[in-house]
Amino acid sequence: MTAILTPKRLTPADVLRVGASGLRTHPLRVLLSALGIAIGIAAMVSIVGITASGRAGLNAELAKLGNNLLVVGPAQGALGTDAKLPTEAETMINRIDHVWSVTAVGAVRGAKVYRNDHVPTELSNGITVVASRLNLPAVVSADVAAGSWLTPAAQRFPTVVLGAKAAEWLGFDASNLGGRIWLGGRWYTVIGILRSAALAEELDAVVFVGWENATEDLGFDGHASAVYVRAEESAIGSVHSRLARTANPESPGEVRVSRPSDVLIAKAAADRALTSLLVGLGAVALLVGGIGVANTMVISVLERRAEIGLRRALGATRTQIWVQFLTEAVLLALLGGGSGVILGAAATAAYAMAQHWTMALPGWAVAGAVGATFTIGCLAGIYPAVRAARLAPTEALASN
């Protein structure tokens, strides 16, 4: 009676041990192959993580500054244009339902500002002089970096507050507050410097004077060049649609209404478009890494023909050989993928820390990276595994 021999089944632990043994025998080759996968995964994870962190940072910034600021001005453009808003524009806008607060600045045309009275008149650096309402910093979320803001008493005297860029251009900081600048043909004392206003960057290159002082001493005509409006966020669309005809009922077409936060959101959208391109480049790197894994496995099959033949002669089945080499390819890809996830997360954390963002790494990005490496390992290992399984024991041993 002939006995029927049944091949012993490999347990999962056996499969992992046998698959890992091939990696341990050629560490340098494994390192270089895994590096290709790691670079691709790190690129994709860091790109997604940095984009998500940037988006989280933007949302946090908008939450802090407010997403409900609207700016009303002449349709021709920014401060200093010939178009004018009616002098009653602020009062009329303040009557709109769901409007919380209103403030304004007005360009003081003809007033030039210089560091001192010896600077040639043509070297004004393009700094704009504006008359300002006292509640401007609160409405536009502009903090005082040094000194103080205009007060009801100070605005009646020749005192000014400098925007962030204007202070830099005029050579002022916290150390020389109280110094004077030459403005409109007379000396003005600098009592404060503002921080950069994220939602009103046009105010950074501005010198602020009190509304009363500008009217009495600098020939200001009382027309606001820009009106800043804070409204209830849930009603921002309704308020936006009513501002132009409220600010200038006779010529609403000559009024420009903008939402500064939309600019930040547009920048984020542009970043997302760029991210898609960079993710594509990361995918190319992954493809190159997958080819490297496949190449390594093919070479491994060629070099280990004797091992394959010996295992086949000792009773290993084609399926067991196939599973061994496929497992080896998957482990190689996962090694590179795991390293790539760690590198990508580290790069995201470093960049977020440098930008003062909260790190945000979506779970789907990590899961996708692991899934991508597993898929690459399977695809890259199929052909070498099949080739190894097809080797006849006699042929493999004879080749040695």
Side-chain angles (χ1 to χ4, degrees):
M1 184 175 181
T2 304
I4 299 176
L5 298 178
T6 303
K8 185 178 179 181
R9 294 181 178 275
L10 292 177
T11 65
D14 293 331
V15 171
L16 290 176
R17 185 174 62 255
V18 172
S21 65
L23 301 182
R24 291 194 299 268
T25 55
H26 298 89
L28 181 59
R29 183 190 299 164
V30 168
L31 175 64
L32 294 177
S33 298
L35 184 60
I37 296 290
I39 291 173
I41 290 295
M44 297 185 71
V45 169
S46 61
I47 289 166
V48 173
I50 289 172
T51 302
S53 299
R55 191 177 298 116
L58 172 61
N59 291 336
E61 187 73 11
L62 289 178
K64 180 176 70 175
L65 299 175
N67 198 22
N68 59 343
L69 178 66
L70 298 168
V71 184
V72 181
Q76 286 85 340
L79 304 174
T81 60
D82 292 330
K84 297 179 180 179
L85 294 173
T87 55
E88 306 85 6
E90 286 178 80
T91 303
M92 294 187 292
I93 289 173
N94 206 27
R95 294 172 183 164
I96 299 177
D97 294 337
H98 307 294
V99 168
W100 289 348
S101 57
V102 178
T103 191
V105 294
V108 182
R109 295 171 174 83
K112 300 293 184 180
V113 59
Y114 306 94
R115 185 63 180 85
N116 55 56
D117 56 347
H118 299 298
V119 178
T121 56
E122 64 272 11
L123 300 180
S124 64
N125 249 344
I127 301 175
T128 303
V129 179
V130 301
S132 175
R133 298 298 189 187
L134 298 183
N135 64 338
L136 178 72
V139 176
V140 302
S141 299
D143 298 327
V144 177
S148 62
W149 177 247
L150 298 166
T151 64
Q155 73 161 342
R156 296 194 298 267
F157 298 97
T159 57
V160 298
V161 174
L162 307 180
K165 290 183 179 178
E168 180 182 346
W169 294 339
L170 291 171
F172 275 86
D173 54 29
S175 65
N176 57 354
L177 282 178
R180 299 188 302 171
I181 59 173
W182 186 253
L183 192 161
R186 60 181 300 183
W187 291 105
Y188 276 72
T189 301
V190 177
I191 63 171
I193 298 172
L194 290 185
R195 299 187 191 279
S196 180
L199 294 181
E201 293 180 349
E202 68 276 8
L203 298 180
D204 290 349
V206 159
V207 171
F208 302 93
V209 297
W211 202 276
E212 292 183 16
N213 180 270
T215 303
E216 296 172 1
D217 296 341
L218 298 175
F220 175 52
D221 59 10
H223 290 272
S225 299
V227 178
Y228 298 90
V229 182
R230 286 283 186 183
E232 186 177 334
E233 192 163 344
S234 60
I236 198 74
S238 172
V239 174
H240 186 283
S241 65
R242 297 165 62 184
L243 279 174
R245 61 178 182 270
T246 302
N248 192 348
E250 295 183 359
S251 304
E254 297 181 2
V255 178
R256 168 185 55 85
V257 181
S258 62
R259 188 178 180 186
S261 59
D262 287 344
V263 176
L264 297 179
I265 294 171
K267 289 180 180 178
D271 289 341
R272 286 194 294 272
L274 180 60
T275 296
S276 299
L277 172 62
L278 295 178
V279 167
L281 296 177
V284 172
L286 272 182
L287 176 62
V288 173
I291 294 173
V293 171
N295 183 59
T296 296
M297 295 310 302
V298 169
I299 294 174
S300 181
V301 170
L302 295 176
E303 289 183 345
R304 296 160 64 189
R305 290 167 66 92
E307 174 192 334
I308 296 169
L310 181 59
R311 289 203 62 211
R312 293 282 284 120
L314 293 175
T317 65
R318 291 180 182 272
T319 300
Q320 290 173 347
I321 298 297
W322 184 86
V323 169
Q324 172 189 347
F325 280 86
L326 183 61
T327 301
E328 189 173 324
V330 171
L331 290 176
L332 177 57
L334 289 177
L335 176 63
S339 302
V341 169
I342 295 173
L343 290 174
T348 299
Y351 191 85
M353 186 180 298
Q355 297 296 323
H356 305 290
W357 296 338
T358 299
M359 178 183 171
L361 184 58
W364 62 263
V366 176
V370 174
T373 54
F374 180 80
T375 302
I376 288 171
C378 290
L379 294 177
I382 287 176
Y383 172 72
V386 170
R387 181 168 180 172
R390 286 179 177 175
L391 282 175
T394 52
E395 177 188 348
L397 290 172
S399 65
N400 194 41

